[in-house]
Amino acid sequence: MAVAGHTERRTAEEPGNDRRRPSRKGRAPRRGARRPGEARTAYLLIAPAVLLLALVVGYPVLKAVYQSFLTDPGLDRATGMFDSGGNWFGLHNYTHWLLQRCATPEGGWTSCPSGALGSQFWGSVGVTVGFTVVACTLETVIGMVFALTMHRAFRGRAMVRVAILVPWAIPTAVTSKLWQVMFDPQGVVNKLLGTHYAWTSSLWPARSAIVVADTWKTTPFIALLILAGLQNIPAETYEAARIDGAGAWRRFTNVTLPLVKPALAVAVVFRALDTLRMYDLPKILTGGSNGTTTSAVLVVNQLTRGTNSASALSTITFVLIFVIAFGLVRLLNANLFGARAKAVS
């Protein structure tokens, strides 16, 4: 018994059997733990960039919001004298656009007459959203085809990539003038189709011309982003699918499409944001006439008549674009997370 007790005491006294938690002093820092002062240094490093963004972006936005509550210079209907503007106007600039209400000579409000800028707001929103949906759909489908073509190994692939990316490198103003000449009644498009359309002089031909020109210019951008996603897919994945007997279509739907979804989502979101603020293409190609006035074109047209009212319109446009973009990001992220969760399970 004495020997057993002595043995138990020795076992308990051995360093390897000490169950007490070691002191924190002298222990190596946890992996990823921040050292004291690192957070302060990080804040100091990013402070100049944040300050610059606040001055360049934040100040103009806040000033535009403030101006949207002020009156524009013009004739005072009550006194008949010229008013320099800048007086508090409340929400009247916003109701002017959202409710399409215009001021009357008696000082009241009524529905804006047809042709007035105030009556074009919701029409311009519909045109902008329509361009975004149609153009982004076409550009995504064609961009996927281009990306798959550029991803394959064949002779002359470098020249094909350069040829596909050339339209994206051309400035939008040049693209607009180029397609304006091509859509002329005596232009190349009518010669090829055997038609005599005045493409920029009627409703649907003018809209079709803008969609075609925008698709031609910006499809390479989506193709480039999708190509970057395709190059991250391991070749062994396709080889395993072939061994399992998957055909070309099943490899595309079950391998390529799920794995390229992150790059595809980024391409769609970026392209949608760009199309929602489309200005130069419709302005140069059709002048914004014949049902092609986008929200950005309407804002610029209003700037020549009243800066404060234009500030209200630009604020409304910004909110609409933000809501659409936020919903699109949430939708695409939900699909991506769902695909990941299904793959993990």
Side-chain angles (χ1 to χ4, degrees):
M1 297 293 294
V3 174
H6 181 66
T7 303
E8 290 177 359
R9 285 194 299 271
R10 288 187 59 189
T11 303
E13 291 173 359
E14 290 180 359
N17 292 321
D18 189 1
R19 296 184 179 180
R20 293 178 301 173
R21 297 181 63 182
S23 63
R24 299 186 66 88
K25 185 177 181 181
R27 189 193 303 180
R30 290 184 303 169
R31 189 175 183 180
R34 293 181 179 178
R35 296 178 180 178
E38 283 188 351
R40 185 184 308 166
T41 304
Y43 289 136
L44 290 176
L45 290 174
I46 66 174
V50 173
L51 181 60
L52 182 61
L53 286 175
L55 293 175
V56 175
V57 179
Y59 173 73
V61 170
L62 293 177
K63 185 176 181 180
V65 173
Y66 171 72
Q67 288 182 337
S68 66
F69 296 101
L70 305 178
T71 58
D72 286 316
L75 188 67
D76 191 343
R77 302 180 185 275
T79 62
M81 303 294 291
F82 180 79
D83 186 3
S84 59
N87 302 317
W88 185 256
F89 205 34
L91 297 175
H92 289 296
N93 284 331
Y94 290 93
T95 56
H96 166 66
W97 296 110
L98 294 174
L99 303 180
Q100 297 184 346
R101 308 283 289 178
C102 292
T104 62
E106 295 77 16
W109 294 88
T110 186
S111 298
C112 293
S114 178
L117 292 182
S119 65
Q120 301 178 23
F121 172 72
W122 289 111
S124 67
V125 172
V127 169
T128 304
V129 174
F131 282 158
T132 302
V133 173
V134 176
C136 286
T137 301
L138 291 175
E139 292 162 10
T140 302
V141 174
I142 301 174
M144 177 65 75
V145 175
F146 284 175
L148 292 173
T149 302
M150 292 186 292
H151 186 58
R152 297 178 58 186
F154 57 89
R155 292 186 61 182
R157 182 174 66 172
M159 293 299 299
V160 172
R161 289 183 174 182
V162 171
I164 290 176
L165 294 177
V166 162
W168 185 45
I170 300 176
T172 306
V174 178
T175 300
S176 303
K177 297 300 294 185
L178 172 66
W179 281 96
Q180 189 178 49
V181 173
M182 293 178 65
F183 280 120
D184 187 82
Q186 305 300 323
V188 177
V189 176
N190 280 330
K191 295 290 185 182
L192 293 176
L193 297 178
T195 57
H196 301 281
Y197 280 126
W199 289 90
T200 59
S201 301
S202 54
L203 180 64
W204 291 108
R207 292 179 175 178
S208 301
I210 291 175
V211 170
V212 170
D214 186 67
T215 303
W216 178 82
K217 174 176 172 51
T218 54
T219 295
F221 172 74
I222 291 185
L224 188 63
L225 293 181
I226 296 176
L227 178 62
L230 289 174
Q231 292 178 341
N232 290 327
I233 302 177
E236 294 80 5
T237 307
Y238 290 106
E239 187 63 28
R242 290 191 186 94
I243 294 175
D244 290 340
W249 178 250
R250 291 198 61 184
R251 290 198 302 271
F252 174 74
T253 56
N254 296 339
V255 178
T256 302
L257 201 56
L259 294 179
V260 84
K261 267 188 177 181
L264 185 61
V266 172
V268 171
V269 171
F270 273 48
R271 191 65 206 108
L273 288 175
D274 197 24
T275 311
L276 286 170
R277 53 187 180 85
M278 181 189 296
Y279 169 74
D280 38 9
L281 187 59
K283 185 65 176 179
I284 297 175
L285 189 58
T286 64
S289 60
N290 300 312
T292 59
T293 300
T294 62
S295 298
V297 172
L298 188 62
V299 170
V300 176
N301 290 341
Q302 177 59 37
L303 279 173
T304 61
R305 306 189 181 189
T307 306
N308 297 334
S309 182
S311 298
L313 178 57
S314 62
T315 303
I316 296 172
T317 304
F318 167 77
V319 173
L320 289 176
I321 293 176
F322 176 81
V323 170
I324 294 174
F326 182 77
L328 187 59
V329 169
R330 291 294 300 271
L331 177 63
L332 292 176
N333 282 342
N335 290 336
L336 292 176
F337 293 152
R340 290 179 181 176
K342 188 181 296 184
V344 171
S345 62

